[in-house]
Amino acid sequence: MIIKPDNGVGATDTFKISDETDLKKFFEKNSGVPHVMEEFITGDICSYDAILNSNSEPLLESMTVWPPSIMDIVLKQLDLSYYTTDFAPEKLCDAGRRTAKAFGVKSRFVHLEFFRLTQAKKNLGNVGDFVGLEVNMRPAGGYTPDMINFAHSTDVYKIWADMITTDKRILEDSGKHFYCVYASRRDCHSYKNSHEEILAKYGEKIVMCERMPEMMVPQMGNQMYTAKVANFEATQEFIKFVQEQA
């Protein structure tokens, strides 16, 4: 099982319960804050990020793929990487549209999260199927809206504003779609490639590069690099080059 706070962010105070011993430890430490218990599912976390009009119809659709366990990243001080794809797969779009209509979501920028199963789960689905995780009636947090912009060569803020004022998308599809990838490093680790080597290798492909605010370090790392690259293979190469440890 996974146990997490009813009101929280970034896997803070989240626990994986593997046996009765883990469960007892949780109740010994819990201070009485309400928590939610869910069945553990093995899969990638994929978000359906969309701007919907007053008929729940998408004016923009995008997919971001997140690490399978933010909880492990926080607790084990691992390096974070995630990416926005060039196109959202139709299976995710279908699940996202049906979810939005089921919740009656209208005239909103939404961030809906799904598991893409990497192991078949009885009564849930087969490998590759999308299973609902959570709904957020808001845009994705952090830099993700900007990553959507870079991935689709667009401006989600204008699309959002036009939806509010006209209920339409006025900004046309650019026809230029990429992968936008975020990779961060922690000051407590040593890395094979230096900051200068990263900038020299990726140059203009890097669209953001900065130190992270202290409050975001547990989830996001100390130093972030975000790049616009051609495909999934280039995304993995970028992550490896940034995060490979010495």
Side-chain angles (χ1 to χ4, degrees), residues 135-189:
V135 296
N136 298 281
M137 305 308 178
R138 56 161 177 80
Y143 296 103
T144 309
D146 303 288
M147 292 173 63
I148 295 171
N149 281 343
F150 290 125
H152 305 298
S153 306
T154 192
D155 185 344
V156 297
Y157 304 105
K158 176 167 175 51
I159 296 171
W160 190 4
D162 288 341
M163 178 273 291
I164 294 295
T165 56
T166 71
D167 202 32
K168 298 178 181 178
R169 173 169 176 167
I170 298 174
L171 189 64
E172 295 184 0
D173 189 303
S174 67
K176 299 177 181 179
H177 300 269
F178 304 88
Y179 275 62
C180 186
V181 51
Y182 175 104
S184 67
R185 314 210 295 193
R186 296 187 183 276
D187 293 347
C188 60
H189 299 156

